[in-house]
Structures are given as structure tokens and as C-alpha cells.
Amino acid sequence: MRPQFLYEKNLQGVANSVKRKQEQYRKIVRHLYYNGAASIAEIVKAVKMSQPLVASLVDDLMGYGMLLDNGVGESIGGRRPNLFCINSEYQYVIGVDINLHTLNLAVFDLSNKQIFREETKYFDLENSDEYLNSLIEKIESMISQLGIPREKYLAVGISIPGLVDAKQGLSHTHLSVAENGLARVLGDRLGINVLLDNDARTMALGEKAFGKAIDKENVLCLNLSNGIGLGMILNGELHSGKNGFAGEFGHILIDPEGKLCYCGKIGCLETLTSGKILVKNIREAVDNGQPTLLASYKKENRKIDLRAVVEAILQGDQFAIDQLNQMCEYLGKGLVTLIHLLNPEMVIIGGKIAHAGKFVIDPVTMSMNKYAMSRISSETELVCSDLLDDSALMGTMANVMRSVLSLD
Amino acid sequence: MRPQFLYEKNLQGVANSVKRKQEQYRKIVRHLYYNGAASIAEIVKAVKMSQPLVASLVDDLMGYGMLLDNGVGESIGGRRPNLFCINSEYQYVIGVDINLHTLNLAVFDLSNKQIFREETKYFDLENSDEYLNSLIEKIESMISQLGIPREKYLAVGISIPGLVDAKQGLSHTHLSVAENGLARVLGDRLGINVLLDNDARTMALGEKAFGKAIDKENVLCLNLSNGIGLGMILNGELHSGKNGFAGEFGHILIDPEGKLCYCGKIGCLETLTSGKILVKNIREAVDNGQPTLLASYKKENRKIDLRAVVEAILQGDQFAIDQLNQMCEYLGKGLVTLIHLLNPEMVIIGGKIAHAGKFVIDPVTMSMNKYAMSRISSETELVCSDLLDDSALMGTMANVMRSVLSLD
DNA sequence: ATTACTTTTAAAAAAAATTATAAAAGAATT
DNA sequence: AATTCTTTTATAATTTTTTTTAAAAGTAAT
């Protein structure tokens, strides 16, 4: 019985024995995917099945081409073990990272390597059939360019901003033109299964699988770009809430006497800290003659956007640093609320502002020290992502594999 | 092989076959505990084992006295099924609900019935060996009074306020005199396994097992008494955070220009909403001649405490209701933050203030409507606990059984 | 190099669990 | 009341999985 390795998991009408065997296959593949090449003996320990059984299952999987012999490993005092690994070319995953103005596409093999990567700038997200069509066109052209047969694609993982109900495959904020749900519409048109989630949550999955959250159980991932997104790993699992609305960190109340937010409420964190506000404030200051590196950027006719601001900060521009510090004070306040509520072991800052590195970490840390109960906050490490701009894209891969290899 | 039914789960040095059999027993007992009497056929469906196997395991368990024949059930079109249920007298659980001024003790049988219940007032919690000794004495006297042999007690579940690291069995805030950790010290002295957790989290477990959170996956439980506690069920699991510090809802920032909190920070939610503040404000008002039912209580030399205030509210006392409303406005603000972050399906209010029923629910709902993004808040139901003062005690039972019957 | 000890792998024997089959007990229909 | 159809339970047959045993392939020490 060929390994299905996918959404057929809960297929009804299939004999129990088939389901059982598929689950055994999945356990082995799962271990090899998450831990790399291993010997039969190692797999036995990890999957809690007997050695003859594991040996025969591995044999099957080799026969189907899903696993490969990976030579012999080092001895630890006896016969040297035969190692096995996943055939990274057995299947592929398409990753789609949708941003407000940019589209990132990638194709991953089963060793998580990007065998294709493309960034399309000025690909502005809008709720129209045209956008949907050109998105599909982009993916199709990538598929035909690569020449890999369609059935080799395990799934398409998508990251998109806004409110997303991953379970149902719905995107509420963007691309609601897809009437039967974005995941289904894209899946039908591409002929490949589609898995959808919100950008911040996808980033969190990326960090958990490939970034600083590996082996951590309670991690918060902030997506600091134009807005503020939050993806949470709690008890080792992604938290999405009842409808997938969890993580609206940008709209928690920070200043009751603050400004009106576009969400209709007053004093939201996003009215005080966000890439958008930072850029806006700096642009105004430049117009008012504030001396800063960014003023010279403007003279050179370079656009003052978030990327430029971060660049100026990294070059030590005092005014931009001051502006960032001010925002980090508020961000720290907000984070303290999070930490008090959730007691995470790590907070990872991602998004465009994460490029500023210690220029964000340090002032946020200071602010947290000021506002948090130290017994709690001292348990939480604050770091910048090292996946940076790749975290959402890597997250789509992580999301697909998590779904495919889940054990229930 | 006798069913161990307990902490021996991960015992090393035991043959794999024994572990497997114990797990099979556990699956069956688990189903019967959580779903009540069932036929072999029903169990087969639930535990995904074959009918002959389940039949033989049930046979074993009956032989050990853990299960009982529960007669024949109704036919649904064929032979009437034999039903089996847990022998509720096979083992017992001791529940200990430690409050600042009261101690609640109970002994549960395996049908969750309290076969013993005792409330001790004026049992003031303090960090002393005397307290520890008298607590143990109380438990011991209960044990000898009941005459059930010690080995019949599965475990002692404890609920205690403050910071608790359940995994390690440590109580940081209270009873830190127990040097090797409260759970171990008590366990050694009582000769029974001890399971510890924070009061708000224990309440959440109680609500999930026996209250309004049954069958819900994302539920927040507020313990509104003198302080504010929060227990969270996320993705169907209790969330404790890295060190068990999660749930410090009382110390999130609400009013940056507010009062100093005893925790050292400014403008914490607990400086604005808490039973303590409510009572304090009302006492001051009474002293200043405010007309209210509670003034007459004072004349009758009755103490104005939280219980009295709630009673006055239920009798329609306008001043007390006003005071509560004011607090609920802040509480609603705080809850909005929670809901935006976690997108729960339900928020359950427990603790002494929950006795006020709609007098809390209505103003909090109003406040939430005012401050929340309606798309998110409309997905969350706000209710009062119906376990009320029993929720923590019931939670200790839930906690023990959850631990005993967990499947990993 | 020889010997003793390990670990890994394979194969045979034993045990466990499932599927298939049949019998028992009752419901529904004629 | 007799017949047919269900569901439940018990038993037998078969398959699956594990345990046991042995062989293969290496390390480490004498």
C-alpha cells in the first residue's frame, strides 16, 4: 500500500489496516524529516515500534522511492549503522508569501531547500479577480518553468496578512473575492492542495521549525513591519483561537487618552508603534527641516520608506534612533502585558524592523524592565529573528509539513 | 498485569509490553471516566482497538475490580448491549482548596462525587510550619475519619493562590517554607502523590471538566474575588507558560496615569478592579454617610466584606451596583485585550463576585462592546460559572484525573 | 592478531491483535 | 407467531507485531 503522505489521512471508507500502516509510515517519515538521516535503531527508539517492523516499513518506503539509503554512519562501539533519509526530490512544496506590496514565491524540496525563489516587487495586494488571476498565473508560470509534474507537489502553503481562518481556509481581510474560501478556490484552480494562514502565525511556524524557536514550547513572534502582527506558539502548538483571530496585538489598548486608530478604537498600540507611524513621523520631521541622514536621502530623490529608515538607524542616525526608541517604549509596554499573560520563554522580533537588531532589542528590553514584574520578565528572552525576510516563506513550508506529518 | 492507573506511567525498567497494556487499560478507563457507562461496541469506536481486544481488556479490568457490570442498555435495533462503568469505589481523590482565609477539603470517588466535604473558615494562609502542620493534620484526620485505607487514595490535588510551578510542584508565593517543594513535602508526609496548581488554573480545569467549558477548546476563566486570577484553556489544554507564571491578568497595564499597585507598577488592572478595592471603596463611602443597604449592615454590626457587598447587590442596592458597574468598565477593558490576543470562544467569570450573576455580566459586556473590535468580541460568549465556590475544589479532582488518565 | 564486548541487522519463534465468522438476543415487519 | 434484519458478543482463523535468538560487523583492549 503506497504511502499517501498527505490529506488522505482521515479518508473514510478505507480499511483500518490501511490507516494503521499509513500512520506507521508517517511516524517514520516524520522522524526523518524533523531529525535528518537516522539508522533503524534510532528510528526504533523514536517511534516506539519494534526493530523488525521498522526495518520492513523502511524497506517499503525505499521501494516507493520516498526514502534513500544514506550510507553507513559512525559506530558507537559496534557494527556501523546503515543510515536512511528522506528522498528530498520525492515531492515538493510551493510557498507563497503575500505581502501588501510584494509577492514572494518559492518551491521547496523535502530537505527544506528552496530550489526556486522569486521576489516580485510592486505586486500590490488588492481584493480583485485580477490579483487572484495574476497570482495564479505567477504560480503556474513557476510550475511550468521548473518542469516538475504537478502530482509531485505536495501542497501550496500561503501566508497572507489580516484575519485568516486557517481551519476553514478563509481570508477575511484580503482576497475575499474568492467566494468559496481562498484555499478552496486556489486549490481547485491549481489542482494542488492549499494551506492558508495569517502572516504572523506563519512566521511563528517558520521560527519554530527553522529559526530561534526550535525546541521551544512557548514563544511569541512579533511581525514588526508597517503594522504589528503576533504569532504565538503555546504548549508547543500554534495558537489560532476559535476563529483564527488570535494575535490582534496591534489593537490592544495602551493609551486611553491616545489617538483614534483606523480600527475605530482609541489608543491602540498600533497608533503608537508601527512602521507606518515611524515613517510618517520621520517624513514630517524631514519636511520641517530636522537634520538627519534621511533628509539627504530625500535630496537624492530616494523614497523615505521603512527600509530607508532602518538603514539610517544602522548607520547611526541619531534622530531616527530616537524616533525608534520612543516607539520601543510603547512596544515594551505592550509586550509586558503579553508576557504577564502568557509567560513565554522567548519573544522573537521579526519583520522589517527586525533588521535594526540591537537598536530595537535594547530599548524594548529597557522598557520591559521598567514596566514588568521582574520575576516573570526575567524568564523571557527577547531576540531578533535570524530568518528575517524569509521567515514567512519558510513558515509556509513548515505549515505544510506540520499538517502533512501530524499524527492524529 | 494489574492496572497501575497512575504515575507509574513513565516508569523505566519496565518491559514494553507492560507499558503497552497499561496504556490500553488507560484508554478504556479514560473513556469510561469521561463519558460514563458504555458498551464494548461503544468503547471499540472510541479507543480504536478491535472488539475482541477491548472485550478481553474490559474482562481484565473487571477482574481487578476497577470496572463494574452496569446491566444491559437499550437496544438500538438488535441485541441489547452489556454496559460497563468504572467502580467508583475503586480509588479516591483528595481535593484541597487553599484560600487566603478558608480551607476546603473534599474526598471524591471515581464518579466525581464528594463523599466528604468540609469548609474551615478563618484558616488563614501563612508561610509557616504551623500552617503546614495543621493542614496535614486536617487531611490526616479526614483520612482516619473516613477509614478508607491509604493505598486507596489515588492522589491529592491542591489548589493554592499565587505563583505556582505545577510541573515542579513549587509554590512560590505561599508556603515556600516547604523547602523541597510543596508537592514533594506534602507527598512524603502524607504518603500519597500530590498534584499542585494555582487556584485560577485549577478553576479553569474544573470548568473544563464539570462546568460551562465542557467540550470547549479555548476558554478563559476569571477568578474574581479579592484579586483577579486568570486560568486559560487554549487548544483544549491548560496553559501555564514556561514557569507556570501565565495568567497574571491582574497586573496588566490599564491606566498609565493610575495608582501604584502593590506589585510596584503603576495602573495595574487590580488597582482598578478587584474585590478588595470594591469593599474598600464601599466602606469609605459608608463611613462618609453614603446611603446604602450596607450602611444598615454596619449598624447591625455585620462586617462589610465581599460576601456582604454581593448580597447587597443582589438585593438591588443602587450604590453597590454603581460601584460594581464602575469596576466592570475597567474589567471589560482588560478583557478586550485578552480577547483580541487569544480569540476564545468563552469567558467564564468565577470567584465570589460571580455570585452577582447578571450584575457583573451585563456591565462587563457593555464595556467590551465599547472597547472591542466587534468582529472578534462577537465570537466570545461571556458567562458566569455555575460551579461557583466549588470550581477550584472540583478542579483539583479534574487535575488529578487529567494527569492520571493522560495518554502520553 | 586475538579475544571480549558492542551495536546493528536478519531470521525464526512466539505472542498479540485483527479480521472473519458464527451464534445469541432482540427489534421490526409481515 | 414466524420471518427477516440488527446489533452485540464469542470463537476461530489469519495477520501483524513483538520477542527471542543468532549472525554480522565493528571497536577496544590485551
Side-chain angles (χ1 to χ4, degrees):
Chain A
M1 184 55 55
R2 197 164 211 300
Q4 298 294 330
F5 197 31
L6 191 53
Y7 300 96
E8 287 81 355
K9 272 186 287 186
N10 295 320
L11 212 62
Q12 288 167 324
V14 177
N16 262 334
S17 59
V18 174
K19 284 189 198 162
R20 208 164 45 239
K21 177 130 291 189
Q22 290 297 336
E23 196 174 314
Q24 294 174 333
Y25 286 150
R26 206 150 50 227
K27 275 187 187 169
I28 291 177
V29 173
R30 183 185 164 88
H31 183 254
L32 293 175
Y33 173 75
Y34 284 112
N35 302 280
S39 67
I40 299 286
E42 284 169 335
I43 300 174
V44 164
K45 272 178 211 145
V47 302
K48 292 179 183 173
M49 296 187 280
S50 72
Q51 174 259 319
L53 178 56
V54 170
S56 101
L57 291 167
V58 166
D59 223 49
D60 291 355
L61 289 168
M62 302 251 297
Y64 293 123
M66 191 185 284
L67 299 189
L68 292 178
D69 191 315
N70 200 37
V72 291
E74 283 307 292
S75 163
I76 51 169
R79 177 172 166 177
R80 297 171 66 186
N82 293 331
L83 298 181
F84 301 91
C85 66
I86 291 180
N87 176 1
S88 58
E89 295 173 7
Y90 185 76
Q91 286 192 291
Y92 299 88
V93 172
I94 296 174
V96 180
D97 170 26
I98 297 176
N99 292 291
L100 290 179
H101 306 294
T102 311
L103 177 72
N104 289 308
L105 288 183
V107 171
F108 299 88
D109 68 15
L110 293 184
S111 68
N112 308 312
K113 204 172 78 186
Q114 295 180 12
I115 63 166
F116 179 96
R117 169 68 186 262
E118 185 186 61
E119 183 181 16
T120 310
K121 286 183 179 165
Y122 316 116
F123 198 84
D124 288 358
L125 178 54
E126 53 181 51
N127 190 26
S128 67
D129 285 319
E130 288 74 51
Y131 182 93
L132 215 57
N133 288 334
S134 49
L135 174 62
I136 289 170
E137 205 176 290
K138 278 243 153 246
I139 296 173
E140 284 292 358
S141 111
M142 175 176 73
I143 290 175
S144 61
Q145 191 181 327
L146 280 167
I148 295 169
R150 198 167 297 250
E151 58 275 16
K152 279 269 195 179
Y153 290 102
L154 190 51
V156 179
I158 298 184
S159 163
I160 189 169
L163 291 182
V164 173
D165 186 335
K167 226 180 294 172
Q168 315 252 84
L170 304 175
S171 171
H172 293 287
T173 311
H174 298 290
L175 293 180
S176 54
V177 281
E179 280 196 30
N180 294 319
L182 186 55
R184 175 175 300 180
V185 168
L186 282 175
D188 287 348
R189 290 185 59 181
L190 289 168
I192 309 174
N193 274 301
V194 168
L195 208 65
L196 193 64
D197 214 333
N198 157 286
D199 56 350
R201 282 199 292 268
T202 307
M203 286 173 65
L205 289 173
E207 294 292 343
K208 170 88 175 122
F210 307 112
K212 286 189 172 159
I214 293 176
D215 293 329
K216 301 233 179 305
E217 293 286 292
N218 292 288
V219 180
L220 308 181
C221 297
L222 282 180
N223 180 10
L224 295 186
S225 290
N226 290 305
I228 300 179
L230 170 65
M232 298 174 268
I233 306 289
L234 303 176
N235 291 330
E237 298 283 325
L238 184 70
H239 179 73
S240 301
K242 178 191 174 197
N243 315 84
F245 295 169
E248 280 300 323
F249 182 49
H251 300 283
I252 69 169
L253 176 75
I254 292 292
D255 181 8
E257 261 106 60
K259 290 181 197 162
L260 180 69
C261 180
Y262 67 86
C263 77
K265 305 293 168 187
I266 290 170
C268 292
L269 181 57
E270 265 196 27
T271 63
L272 298 162
T273 353
S274 79
K276 203 182 249 172
I277 299 288
L278 182 63
V279 169
K280 185 176 155 243
N281 288 348
I282 288 179
R283 277 183 188 160
E284 282 173 11
V286 167
D287 287 345
N288 292 332
Q290 171 70 40
T292 153
L293 270 181
L294 287 150
S296 61
Y297 284 16
K298 201 185 176 185
K299 276 183 207 140
E300 298 160 15
N301 251 339
R302 224 187 110 182
K303 202 179 159 193
I304 299 184
D305 56 8
L306 194 48
R307 187 184 302 244
V309 169
V310 170
E311 198 182 308
I313 287 169
L314 288 171
Q315 286 177 21
D317 183 70
Q318 204 174 312
F319 177 71
I321 291 173
D322 268 348
Q323 290 290 310
L324 181 63
N325 285 348
Q326 210 174 307
M327 282 188 23
C328 287
E329 163 103 10
Y330 293 115
L331 182 61
K333 268 193 189 178
L335 270 179
V336 164
T337 293
L338 276 181
I339 286 172
H340 281 184
L341 289 173
L342 299 170
N343 181 217
E345 48 201 297
M346 183 177 266
V347 174
I348 301 177
I349 293 182
K352 286 185 191 145
I353 293 183
H355 288 273
K358 64 175 185 203
F359 289 100
V360 216
I361 297 295
D362 292 347
V364 173
T365 304
M366 276 178 58
S367 168
M368 283 171 57
N369 289 341
K370 184 165 155 196
Y371 294 112
M373 294 165 78
S374 74
R375 171 147 227 174
I376 297 180
S377 66
S378 66
E379 299 289 344
T380 305
E381 210 179 331
L382 179 70
V383 299
C384 271
S385 167
D386 42 29
L387 298 176
L388 290 171
D389 297 334
D390 258 27
S391 59
L393 203 51
M394 295 304 291
T396 62
M397 174 67 179
N399 196 14
V400 166
M401 295 310 288
R402 168 185 87 120
S403 155
V404 164
L405 296 177
S406 75
L407 291 180
D408 44 47
Chain B
M1 184 51 57
R2 199 163 211 299
Q4 298 293 329
F5 197 35
L6 192 55
Y7 299 96
E8 287 80 355
K9 273 187 287 188
N10 295 321
L11 211 61
Q12 286 168 326
V14 177
N16 264 333
S17 59
V18 173
K19 284 189 198 162
R20 210 166 40 240
K21 177 129 292 189
Q22 291 297 337
E23 195 174 314
Q24 293 174 332
Y25 286 149
R26 206 150 50 224
K27 275 187 187 170
I28 290 176
V29 173
R30 182 185 165 88
H31 182 255
L32 293 176
Y33 173 75
Y34 284 112
N35 302 279
S39 68
I40 300 286
E42 285 170 335
I43 299 173
V44 164
K45 272 178 211 145
V47 302
K48 291 177 184 173
M49 295 188 279
S50 71
Q51 174 258 320
L53 178 55
V54 169
S56 102
L57 292 167
V58 166
D59 224 50
D60 292 355
L61 289 169
M62 301 251 297
Y64 293 121
M66 191 184 285
L67 299 190
L68 292 179
D69 192 314
N70 199 36
V72 290
E74 282 308 292
S75 163
I76 52 170
R79 177 172 167 178
R80 297 170 67 187
N82 293 331
L83 298 181
F84 301 91
C85 66
I86 291 180
N87 176 1
S88 58
E89 295 172 8
Y90 184 76
Q91 286 192 291
Y92 298 88
V93 173
I94 295 174
V96 180
D97 171 25
I98 297 176
N99 292 292
L100 290 180
H101 306 294
T102 309
L103 177 72
N104 289 308
L105 288 184
V107 171
F108 298 89
D109 68 14
L110 293 185
S111 68
N112 307 313
K113 205 174 75 186
Q114 294 180 11
I115 62 167
F116 179 96
R117 169 68 187 261
E118 185 186 62
E119 184 180 17
T120 310
K121 286 184 178 164
Y122 315 115
F123 197 84
D124 289 359
L125 178 54
E126 53 181 49
N127 190 26
S128 67
D129 285 319
E130 288 74 50
Y131 183 94
L132 216 55
N133 288 334
S134 49
L135 175 63
I136 289 170
E137 205 175 289
K138 277 242 152 246
I139 296 173
E140 285 291 359
S141 110
M142 174 175 73
I143 289 175
S144 60
Q145 191 181 327
L146 281 167
I148 295 169
R150 199 167 296 250
E151 58 274 17
K152 279 268 195 178
Y153 290 102
L154 192 50
V156 179
I158 298 184
S159 163
I160 189 169
L163 291 182
V164 173
D165 187 335
K167 226 180 295 171
Q168 315 252 83
L170 304 175
S171 171
H172 293 287
T173 311
H174 298 290
L175 292 181
S176 54
V177 279
E179 280 198 29
N180 293 319
L182 186 55
R184 175 174 300 179
V185 168
L186 282 175
D188 286 348
R189 291 187 55 182
L190 289 168
I192 308 174
N193 275 300
V194 169
L195 208 64
L196 193 65
D197 213 335
N198 157 285
D199 56 350
R201 283 200 291 270
T202 308
M203 286 174 64
L205 288 173
E207 295 292 342
K208 170 88 174 122
F210 306 112
K212 287 191 170 155
I214 294 176
D215 293 330
K216 302 233 180 303
E217 293 286 289
N218 292 286
V219 180
L220 308 182
C221 297
L222 282 181
N223 180 11
L224 295 186
S225 290
N226 290 306
I228 300 179
L230 170 66
M232 297 174 270
I233 305 289
L234 303 176
N235 291 330
E237 298 283 325
L238 184 70
H239 179 72
S240 301
K242 179 192 173 197
N243 314 84
F245 296 169
E248 281 300 324
F249 183 49
H251 299 283
I252 68 169
L253 176 75
I254 292 291
D255 180 8
E257 260 108 60
K259 291 179 194 162
L260 180 69
C261 180
Y262 68 86
C263 77
K265 305 295 168 184
I266 290 169
C268 292
L269 181 58
E270 265 197 26
T271 63
L272 297 162
T273 353
S274 80
K276 202 182 250 172
I277 298 289
L278 182 64
V279 168
K280 185 175 156 243
N281 288 347
I282 288 178
R283 277 184 188 161
E284 281 174 12
V286 167
D287 287 345
N288 293 332
Q290 171 71 39
T292 153
L293 271 180
L294 288 152
S296 61
Y297 284 15
K298 203 185 174 186
K299 276 184 209 140
E300 297 161 16
N301 252 340
R302 221 185 114 185
K303 200 178 163 196
I304 298 184
D305 57 7
L306 194 47
R307 187 184 300 243
V309 169
V310 170
E311 198 183 309
I313 287 169
L314 288 171
Q315 286 177 19
D317 184 71
Q318 205 174 310
F319 177 71
I321 291 174
D322 268 349
Q323 290 291 311
L324 181 63
N325 285 348
Q326 211 174 307
M327 282 187 25
C328 287
E329 163 103 11
Y330 293 115
L331 181 61
K333 266 192 189 177
L335 271 179
V336 164
T337 293
L338 276 182
I339 286 173
H340 281 183
L341 289 173
L342 298 171
N343 181 217
E345 49 201 296
M346 183 178 267
V347 174
I348 301 177
I349 293 183
K352 286 187 193 145
I353 293 183
H355 287 273
K358 65 177 184 203
F359 289 100
V360 215
I361 297 296
D362 292 347
V364 174
T365 305
M366 276 178 58
S367 168
M368 283 171 59
N369 289 340
K370 184 166 156 194
Y371 294 112
M373 294 165 78
S374 73
R375 170 146 229 173
I376 296 179
S377 65
S378 65
E379 299 290 344
T380 305
E381 211 179 329
L382 180 69
V383 298
C384 271
S385 167
D386 42 30
L387 298 176
L388 291 170
D389 298 334
D390 257 27
S391 59
L393 202 51
M394 295 304 291
T396 61
M397 174 67 179
N399 196 15
V400 166
M401 295 311 287
R402 168 184 88 119
S403 156
V404 165
L405 296 177
S406 75
L407 291 178
D408 43 48

